[in-house]
Amino acid sequence: VTPSEGAGGGTRRELEMESVLALGGLVLLRDSVEWEGRTLLKALIKKSALCGEQVHILGCEVSEDEFREGFDSSINSRLIYHDLFRDPLNWSQTGETLPGGPLGALQAMCRRTHPGPVTIALDSLSWLLLHIPCTSLCQALGALSRQHAHPGGGSPAEPLRVLGLLHEELHGPGPLGALSSLAQTEVTLSGTVGQASAHILSRRPRQRPAHQTQWFSILPDFSLDLQGGPPLESQPHADPHTASVDPTAHVTFNLHLSKKEREAKDSLTLPFQFSSEKQQALLRPGPGQATGRIFYEPDAYDDLDQEDPDDDLDV
Amino acid sequence: MAAVATCGTGAGSTGSIAAAASKNNVTSFQRKGPRASGTDSGCSRLVSIAGTRPSVRNGQLLVSTGLPALDQLLGGGLAVGTVLLIEEDKYNIYSSLVFKYFLAEGIINGHTLLVASVKEDPADILQELPAPLLDDNCKKDFDEDVCNDKTPDSNIKMKIAWRYQLLPKMESGPVSSSRFGHYYDASKRMPQELIEASKWHGFFFPEKLSSTNIESCSLTHGYRKLLQFIQNVIYEEGFDGSSPQKKQKNILRIGIQSLGSPLWGDDICCTENCDNSHSLTKFLYVLRGLLRTSLSACIITMPTHLIQNKAVIARVTNLSDTVVGLESFIGSERETNPLYKDYHGLIHIRQIPRLNNLIYDVSDVKDLAFKLKRKLFTIERLHLPPDLSDTVSRSSKQDLAESSKLLGPGCGMMAGGKKHLDF
């Protein structure tokens, strides 16, 4: 990969990653034990914060200090953290916890009306799925994305995106499928040794979903470094299929015709083809004669006796 | 349909003859019926409503689904009083398109619409309906589409088997005199004045939900409210014949989108053993009862690929009348398979109802695929090219489909030596 190609490819890849954020709606980050997604979540949060958006974080799995670690102070000042980790069931009764439990906290986020674009980060959706019923969570997420389309304040639709971290090993196919059907963008983390990749599936409304694979790494200050990735694995799906499934490749007879052969084939008159020449040949006898003619070839056993016994009949 | 036309006029003429006879008092036979005067549509028991026609097979009143190719597969159309269940494809692109075609057909024919959905506002759904193709330029557009897709090889007319050219083709172009099914242009929107002139009722579940506390909502809450809404509309507008003074009968087209998704409050897509697993089946049962007693037809799209319990899918299929499954190739390994390169997905006709009949009205073509051309949505017979691999079997087309699936991962791969060609 030459440097110029890398630079050009870099801007294109930047645009691809930008599209993840630009689409709005629910962005589902599916991670697993081998490829954890919280660093990518924090990188995307940093990107949104640098664009000047308000970022709300619903923290359930890690403490606030641990989450804010690694961000510099300018970013930290933009993050509004709602803490569900310290006291989710409100046992300490201090009144600091969010009313209504996890579901109430989520619904409280639905009702916010802000003048600018807002990003909501849910860390994590897995925790929420384990504590509130799946249908309520889906309805709350649906309400959040509708907030994006019809904001309460009457201002024009501003992008509200919800970044949700989902640990896909914790859930069965049911909740995963339900949340996937709600998501505008799904980012699945995987990779090879030492290199992480994100498989991005974006579903624009009324268009076919597009998917691409993006290799990246995250620097210690949570900025995103996009890479071309190992070139061998850049097109994993397309080649084996299009190369090998060609039914006309290994046959023992010739399926292709050259031009001369094709012309000869076209000009051939087939025996049962009712062409005009055949028609003329069949209709050759004139008006006076019989329409049918019988052509008979006598074989060895025939008796062609001129003295026909029927001769004396008066015909 | 010439047979139907003559039947209709024949019936009408006997009706008028009877009426004339009764006027002249020539005969003592009086025509008994609700129309004692006998001046209007005649003696036929079939109600003459715009956009409907009687089925030639079983006498049911049919409405068009908006896709004439699908009408042909369902035996002429969708019978009034029945449910058409569409099993959604994975990303809900083509099933929502079929849903919109159904609603657009209702608007063109002047039927009343009832749209229920959870994700989108019904008003937004109606704004996105496809525009109808008018008769004068539809033929031109259709021929244009056909020419764009034709490869040079297919221009060879059949020379040896020329008699087969006379067989009716699966895919027929728009007939200019067809008043039953209309063709739609998926790239354009329906004109605003047509939408505003139509009568429609919308049911957007999250709006109804906001009035009550979400925590206390039971599973059947959404379904119960939807059934009450449908029942109210049917009763108030007189689709069930409850207001006999209505002059002009009309059809109510009900469209329910994404029934069974978690947004309705039903966890049938989330878990395998859900607490209230019967709410969806109860809903379909009550809905069918409502439909059978009214002049309405319903289309439901359901994300069956998300339903975890296969027994529920079987029950849902039994409780619906017509079930059509859409399977799109997007994201699956079939997308790159050159066998399917001309098409966007497969259509499976899973069930056809047996209405007042002892036999099913199934078409003999079971192997169907659809594609969304630039403007038109077409359904065609899936023609698989001959399988030239080592494992080819000559037994049936079904096996051909199986072995072509096996061909996918690699040409050199022997598919387990299942089918051999022995000489």
Side-chain angles (χ1 to χ4, degrees):
Chain A
V1 176
T2 61
S4 58
E5 191 186 80
T11 46
R12 185 179 53 82
R13 284 190 290 274
E14 281 284 334
L15 293 172
E16 284 169 4
M17 207 55 159
E18 285 293 329
S19 70
V20 168
L21 295 176
L23 203 54
L26 174 65
V27 178
L28 210 61
L29 296 174
R30 296 165 60 142
D31 70 347
S32 55
V33 166
E34 293 100 18
W35 303 99
E36 64 97 23
R38 189 165 287 114
T39 43
L40 180 62
L41 179 71
K42 288 164 91 167
L44 290 174
I45 287 174
K46 178 179 174 179
K47 214 184 208 350
S48 313
L50 286 175
C51 295
E53 298 172 4
Q54 274 202 350
V55 183
H56 292 261
I57 302 170
L58 187 67
C60 319
E61 279 186 355
V62 293
S63 66
E64 182 169 355
D65 299 330
E66 192 182 330
F67 197 86
R68 286 184 183 267
E69 179 186 331
F71 286 136
D72 54 5
S73 54
S74 63
I75 306 229
N76 263 324
S77 57
R78 284 188 211 271
L79 304 182
I80 304 171
Y81 198 87
H82 308 270
D83 193 3
L84 267 182
F85 174 77
R86 213 169 50 82
D87 190 6
L89 298 175
N90 198 14
W91 283 343
S92 56
Q93 305 279 335
T94 52
E96 283 175 8
T97 54
L98 306 165
L103 192 58
L106 204 54
Q107 284 156 14
M109 287 188 163
C110 298
R111 285 182 222 121
R112 288 177 195 283
T113 54
H114 295 280
V118 176
T119 299
I120 296 181
L122 300 173
D123 177 21
S124 62
L125 277 174
S126 291
W127 193 94
L128 290 171
L129 263 179
L130 294 171
H131 287 79
I132 53 182
C134 183
T135 55
S136 314
L137 179 64
C138 291
Q139 282 168 338
L141 288 174
L144 268 180
S145 55
R146 245 184 329 277
Q147 182 77 4
H148 142 246
H150 302 282
S155 54
E158 283 164 356
L160 172 109
R161 73 187 69 86
V162 181
L163 304 170
L165 184 64
L166 189 66
H167 308 301
E168 50 183 11
E169 292 154 330
L170 292 180
H171 308 286
L176 285 180
L179 286 176
S180 299
S181 65
L182 286 178
Q184 296 297 119
T185 315
E186 262 181 74
V187 180
T188 310
L189 293 168
S190 61
T192 60
V193 177
Q195 187 75 1
S197 77
H199 180 86
I200 305 169
L201 178 79
S202 51
R203 303 162 68 162
R204 290 169 203 273
R206 293 173 292 285
Q207 278 182 33
R208 294 163 58 99
H211 48 103
Q212 63 219 24
T213 305
Q214 176 70 58
W215 297 83
F216 68 97
S217 67
I218 302 191
L219 305 172
D221 66 342
F222 293 109
S223 52
L224 211 51
D225 179 28
L226 304 168
Q227 287 148 8
L232 296 167
E233 275 119 326
S234 58
Q235 296 285 324
H237 305 287
D239 288 331
H241 284 280
T242 54
S244 57
V245 188
D246 184 14
T248 59
H250 303 291
V251 294
T252 53
F253 45 89
N254 185 18
L255 277 180
H256 302 286
L257 296 171
S258 69
K259 199 162 182 303
K260 287 188 77 169
E261 286 169 349
R262 196 180 291 275
E263 282 169 13
K265 178 185 163 202
D266 285 340
S267 58
L268 180 69
T269 307
L270 299 165
F272 295 106
Q273 195 171 2
F274 201 68
S275 61
S276 56
E277 298 92 34
K278 267 257 161 76
Q279 202 175 352
Q280 292 307 315
L282 283 173
L283 295 175
R284 202 188 305 125
Q289 295 185 8
T291 52
R293 297 176 66 172
I294 299 174
F295 299 95
Y296 177 62
E297 279 199 17
D299 61 358
Y301 296 100
D302 272 341
D303 188 11
L304 278 179
D305 197 355
Q306 296 296 342
E307 283 188 2
D308 200 321
D310 291 330
D311 245 358
D312 53 356
L313 290 176
D314 225 335
V315 179
Chain B
M1 297 288 291
V4 174
T6 49
C7 166
T9 48
S13 60
T14 50
S16 54
I17 287 173
S22 66
K23 279 186 188 136
N24 298 337
N25 286 326
V26 170
T27 168
S28 57
F29 285 116
Q30 294 287 332
R31 179 129 220 121
K32 188 177 172 188
R35 291 160 292 276
S37 61
T39 48
D40 57 10
S41 52
C43 71
S44 61
R45 289 172 183 275
L46 305 166
V47 198
S48 61
I49 311 174
T52 65
R53 70 168 178 192
S55 163
V56 291
R57 291 173 171 97
N58 52 11
Q60 296 289 321
L61 195 63
L62 299 178
V63 291
S64 170
T65 54
L67 286 168
L70 190 61
D71 286 344
Q72 204 178 348
L73 291 169
L74 300 181
L78 185 68
V80 168
T82 62
V83 172
L84 171 63
L85 180 76
I86 306 275
E87 296 183 352
E88 286 178 11
D89 53 308
K90 194 162 171 221
Y91 298 106
N92 196 14
I93 302 171
Y94 301 108
S95 45
S96 65
L97 197 59
V98 173
F99 186 80
K100 286 178 186 143
Y101 278 126
F102 187 83
L103 297 178
E105 183 73 23
I107 289 192
I108 297 294
N109 288 322
H111 298 159
T112 310
L113 300 181
L114 195 160
V115 185
S117 100
V118 272
K119 267 194 202 170
E120 287 180 274
D121 203 335
D124 295 336
I125 296 178
L126 285 180
Q127 292 300 317
E128 293 168 9
L129 294 184
L133 279 175
L134 302 168
D135 284 340
D136 43 358
N137 40 1
C138 69
K139 188 101 180 91
K140 175 172 76 72
D141 288 332
F142 185 75
D143 286 336
E144 192 182 278
D145 272 337
V146 167
C147 289
N148 287 341
D149 293 340
K150 240 191 224 186
T151 60
D153 290 332
S154 64
N155 278 332
I156 299 174
K157 294 283 184 200
M158 287 184 263
K159 278 184 172 180
I160 299 175
W162 48 268
R163 283 196 183 85
Y164 288 98
Q165 284 178 314
L166 303 173
L167 274 185
K169 285 197 184 56
M170 179 79 217
E171 163 72 3
S172 57
V175 180
S176 59
S177 63
S178 74
R179 257 171 269 129
F180 185 61
H182 297 86
Y183 285 86
Y184 295 93
D185 185 351
S187 56
K188 295 198 193 104
R189 299 266 166 267
M190 170 134 344
Q192 194 64 23
E193 54 268 10
L194 279 177
I195 302 176
E196 280 161 14
S198 69
K199 191 140 186 271
W200 61 276
H201 305 269
F203 181 90
F204 189 44
F205 182 50
E207 274 170 16
K208 318 279 175 177
L209 193 63
S210 57
S211 55
T212 63
N213 192 358
I214 299 178
E215 293 276 7
S216 64
C217 132
S218 69
L219 266 172
T220 55
H221 177 65
Y223 296 155
R224 198 185 306 134
K225 287 204 98 74
L226 179 57
L227 283 173
Q228 282 166 357
F229 184 76
I230 294 176
Q231 193 175 24
N232 282 340
V233 170
I234 289 178
Y235 182 70
E236 280 160 20
E237 311 243 336
F239 289 105
D240 55 354
S242 57
S243 53
Q245 299 306 317
K246 264 192 101 60
K247 296 195 192 72
Q248 188 71 17
K249 293 199 191 223
N250 205 354
I251 302 275
L252 174 68
R253 285 192 184 226
I254 306 176
I256 307 177
Q257 200 169 36
S258 288
L259 192 70
S261 92
L263 294 171
W264 283 101
D266 192 1
D267 62 352
I268 217 159
C269 291
C270 302
T271 66
E272 195 162 334
N273 303 314
C274 36
D275 303 326
N276 206 346
S277 57
H278 298 292
S279 59
L280 180 62
T281 43
K282 269 189 228 168
F283 172 83
L284 287 173
Y285 187 73
V286 176
L287 178 71
R288 200 163 68 165
L290 278 177
L291 292 180
R292 293 282 200 266
T293 53
S294 63
L295 281 174
S296 43
C298 181
I299 187 172
I300 302 181
T301 67
M302 190 179 289
T304 47
H305 57 96
L306 292 178
I307 294 182
Q308 301 301 308
N309 194 350
K310 302 302 170 197
V312 171
I313 300 179
R315 277 180 221 144
V316 161
T317 305
N318 284 337
L319 283 169
S320 319
D321 296 302
T322 315
V323 181
V324 172
L326 293 177
E327 181 192 337
S328 81
F329 295 149
I330 300 171
S332 77
E333 71 272 4
R334 291 182 182 180
E335 194 174 11
T336 49
N337 195 337
L339 292 171
Y340 295 118
K341 67 172 161 55
D342 289 331
Y343 299 103
H344 291 140
L346 301 177
I347 282 200
H348 307 282
I349 310 279
R350 304 220 194 263
Q351 180 171 278
I352 303 244
R354 203 167 43 173
L355 301 164
N356 299 339
N357 228 351
L358 286 177
I359 55 171
Y360 290 96
D361 188 26
V362 186
S363 85
D364 54 349
V365 182
K366 306 268 193 316
D367 202 14
L368 299 158
F370 66 87
K371 61 180 152 177
L372 181 61
K373 292 190 212 173
R374 196 171 44 91
K375 286 182 182 177
L376 294 173
F377 184 94
T378 53
I379 302 176
E380 289 170 8
R381 201 182 304 221
L382 178 63
H383 296 288
L384 293 178
D387 189 356
L388 299 166
S389 74
D390 296 329
T391 59
V392 71
S393 128
R394 307 286 163 105
S395 46
S396 69
K397 201 163 187 197
Q398 180 78 20
D399 294 2
L400 203 63
E402 284 296 324
S403 51
S404 65
K405 265 189 267 178
L406 296 170
L407 191 62
C411 205
M413 206 171 89
M414 296 287 190
K418 232 171 56 157
K419 296 173 174 64
H420 258 352
L421 207 55
D422 285 327
F423 286 103

